[in-house]
Amino acid sequence: MNELISTQNNEHGDIIVSGRELHEFLEVETPFRKWFPRMTEFGFVEGADYTPDIFVHPLNKQETTDFLLKLDMAKEIAMIQRTEKGKEARQYFLQVEKAWNSPEMIIKRAMQIQDKKILELQNQIQEDKRYTDFGKVVEMSEASVNIGAFVKIIFDKHGINIGRNKLFDWLRDKGYLIKSGREKNNPKQQYIEQGLFELRPTIVKRSEGDVQSHTTLITGKGQIKLAEILLNEFSNRGDLIG
C-alpha cells in the first residue's frame, strides 16, 4: 500500500494523522488556520478526537500549531470535503485501518507491548540495584532516624567513618540544614517537602518552664539519598571510609 498521507501511533496505540498534512493533501484553498476550526464544528472534541501539537516550522523557525487527528476524525473530515481528493483520502484511511487490524499487525503490536514491558522491567531492576547498593542500608527505610543514628548506620553498613559533628558540618555545607540563627541545624523547607528530612517537635522540661525544641530526623528516603552521595563523594578519602 502506497503511503498517501503519513500516519503514526500515539502513546495509547491510536493511529493519528497530521491535520496540516491532511489539509495539504486535500488541496483545500482555505488557509489551515481558518479551515481547521470549521472542521471542529462538526462535533469533534479536543482531547478525544484531536490534540494540539506545537512545533518549530523548519522554514520560518516560528512556533506553529498542528493538530493530531485520530483516524476516525481524519476519515470523517475527508468525507465532508465531497471532493475526489477527499474520497481518495477516505479510501486510503480505510486501507490503513484494515491493515492495522490484520492478525499480523495485532501480533506485532502485542510483541511491541511485551518488549516495552521487558524494557521497563530491566529499568526497574537497575533502579532497585541502586537501592540494594545504597539504600537498603535501611531495612528500616520507612523509619526516620536522628543524625547520630544515621552516622552509626552508614558506618556499620558502608564503613563511612564520619562523626556526628562532621556530618552536621557536611549537611550544612551542602545546604541541607540551616547554618545559623535560632533554626540552626533544622532542615531547609525544600528538603522537608522532598521527603528527605522531617522536623520533630520535642518538649524540654526546665525549672523555669517547658521549652519546645525540634529534632532533625532523616527519613528513609533521605537515608538512601544521603548514603549514596556520601559513598560517591568520600569513596577515595581514607579519613572517612573505614
Side-chain angles (χ1 to χ4, degrees):
M1 180 177 63
N2 294 328
E3 185 179 67
L4 299 182
I5 304 168
S6 61
T7 60
Q8 53 185 306
N9 305 329
N10 64 14
E11 66 274 16
H12 304 297
D14 302 310
I15 302 174
I16 55 175
V17 178
S18 160
R20 285 185 175 274
E21 189 170 343
L22 177 58
H23 173 264
E24 182 179 351
F25 178 83
L26 294 172
E27 298 177 353
V28 178
E29 294 181 0
T30 305
F32 179 79
R33 60 184 175 80
K34 294 182 178 180
W35 172 80
F36 187 78
R38 292 177 187 171
M39 294 301 100
T40 62
E41 293 174 1
F42 285 92
F44 300 115
V45 178
E46 181 175 335
D49 301 304
Y50 65 94
T51 54
D53 178 47
I54 299 175
F55 65 99
V56 177
H57 199 284
L59 296 180
N60 59 23
K61 308 301 181 184
Q62 299 293 316
E63 279 196 350
T64 306
T65 301
D66 192 3
F67 294 91
L68 303 180
L69 323 180
K70 288 187 178 179
L71 192 62
D72 283 346
M73 179 176 177
K75 285 190 298 184
E76 192 166 342
I77 285 179
M79 182 177 63
I80 290 170
Q81 305 311 304
R82 300 184 182 277
T83 62
E84 284 301 313
K85 296 295 287 186
K87 181 179 179 181
E88 186 179 0
R90 183 174 180 276
Q91 290 299 318
Y92 170 72
F93 290 143
L94 289 172
Q95 292 178 47
V96 169
E97 187 175 45
K98 183 178 179 181
W100 179 253
N101 292 320
S102 68
E104 294 82 5
M105 285 300 296
I106 291 173
I107 293 171
K108 181 179 178 181
R109 290 199 298 278
M111 292 177 67
Q112 289 172 338
I113 291 171
Q114 188 64 28
D115 288 344
K116 182 179 179 182
K117 287 182 177 179
I118 291 171
L119 181 60
E120 289 173 349
L121 180 59
Q122 290 172 338
N123 290 337
Q124 186 60 52
I125 290 171
Q126 290 300 313
E127 182 67 14
D128 289 344
K129 183 176 184 298
R130 173 173 175 265
Y131 284 91
T132 299
D133 292 343
F134 299 107
K136 291 183 180 174
V137 166
V138 276
E139 283 136 12
M140 28 77 96
S141 65
E142 295 301 317
S144 296
V145 298
N146 62 30
I147 302 296
F150 180 63
V151 165
K152 186 175 186 306
I153 289 170
I154 58 177
F155 178 74
D156 291 345
K157 298 293 183 179
H158 295 308
I160 300 176
N161 188 16
I162 181 171
R164 178 177 178 276
N165 290 339
K166 273 191 176 181
L167 184 57
F168 266 115
D169 290 342
W170 184 84
L171 289 169
R172 288 194 297 267
D173 288 343
K174 295 297 181 183
Y176 292 108
L177 304 184
I178 295 170
K179 291 186 176 182
S180 60
R182 293 180 59 187
E183 296 184 340
K184 181 179 179 180
N185 290 336
N186 287 354
K188 293 182 179 178
Q189 185 62 33
Q190 66 193 87
Y191 297 113
I192 294 176
E193 291 174 358
Q194 289 176 21
L196 304 183
F197 296 89
E198 61 177 274
L199 198 57
R200 185 168 296 172
T202 55
I203 301 298
V204 179
K205 292 188 175 295
R206 295 180 177 173
S207 57
E208 62 270 26
D210 294 348
V211 176
Q212 180 171 297
S213 180
H214 293 87
T215 301
T216 293
L217 301 179
I218 306 175
T219 65
K221 179 180 178 181
Q223 293 167 55
I224 291 170
K225 181 178 178 65
L226 294 177
E228 179 178 358
I229 294 172
L230 285 164
L231 276 171
N232 287 334
E233 184 164 334
F234 298 125
S235 60
N236 296 319
R237 291 179 57 177
D239 60 326
L240 293 178
I241 301 294

